[in-house]
Amino acid sequence: MAGYNQHAKYIYVVNRRCNWQGTDTSNRFIRFKIDSTVASHCSNIIVTNLKTGQKYYTTKNSNFDLYLKAGDGTLLKFEPRFVHGGTLVVDEFISEGIYEVDTTLIVPEGVKLTVSAGTKLTFRNSGRLLVEDGELEVKGTQNNKVEFDFVSKNWGAGNGIHAYRTPLKIKNAVIKNASCGIYSHISPGDTIDGVIIDNTHYGISLYYSYNYGADNTVIRNSQITNCQL
């Protein structure tokens, strides 16, 4: 199936009403509530009408409306927003698994992204993990690390993990094939523990991340290999 995603769920919807009675054409708006049936492992959802290509961006426990003409039907695809990239709108917890992210994933202010142990995220199309005033917590373990693979370091795109004005918490992770493994801009203090950074232009770049004189950043049990600068 074109556009198949192993983390997606599919529902076929039909408007069976087709009796034209007076002014009633039997065309209908159908309201869906996004629950654990289609969003058991994510909070930010993208719904694609595979007949029209129209996309709906929504969240778990929210509603969205679909318009169907009399006798019409369509196949809907429900999948995690983070695999498409774009901006998260509510807190997201990525459970253990292997995921491909199409482009840059943005964590804005007021939103927290938590990545659990054993998760592997591969960022395609020179995508970045961009934390803009939001929160990122990576919760790998020594025996079950989190992996961020940016495929190919791209100097122009600046791929890697980039954070602005927020403290990063990254524990037991592998970051590879990025222009900059971790770029932290004006952070009140990052915690980088048990992190391996491999094959990058820059390993770690801290820009004013000593909080204007108070150095609260902790880097321990970590190593950088195959870094050019």
Side-chain angles (χ1 to χ4, degrees), residues 157-173:
N159 55 347
I161 298 175
H162 289 237
Y164 295 85
R165 301 167 297 275
T166 185
L168 293 172
K169 297 179 182 178
I170 304 177
K171 188 170 184 180
N172 295 308

Side-chain angles (χ1 to χ4, degrees), residues 4 26-27 51 76 110 119 126 143 159-160 197 210 220 223:
Y4 175 75
S26 293
N27 299 340
K51 185 175 183 179
L76 299 177
T119 299
S126 299
N143 297 321
N159 55 347
I197 298 176
Y210 53 85
R220 60 190 173 215
Q223 58 181 307

Side-chain angles (χ1 to χ4, degrees), residues 123-192:
F123 286 76
R124 301 294 182 186
N125 303 308
S126 299
R128 297 186 289 172
L129 177 52
L130 181 57
V131 188
E132 292 187 320
D133 301 290
E135 295 182 62
L136 172 65
E137 184 171 7
V138 178
K139 304 176 72 173
T141 66
Q142 287 186 340
N143 297 321
N144 202 17
K145 294 182 181 295
V146 172
E147 181 176 309
F148 298 90
D149 185 355
F150 293 92
V151 183
S152 179
K153 51 190 177 185
N154 187 313
W155 186 270
N159 55 347
I161 298 175
H162 289 237
Y164 295 85
R165 301 167 297 275
T166 185
L168 293 172
K169 297 179 182 178
I170 304 177
K171 188 170 184 180
N172 295 308
V174 176
I175 304 168
K176 61 185 183 180
N177 305 320
S179 178
C180 184
I182 299 173
Y183 175 80
S184 180
H185 184 98
I186 312 181
S187 167
D190 303 313
T191 301
I192 301 168

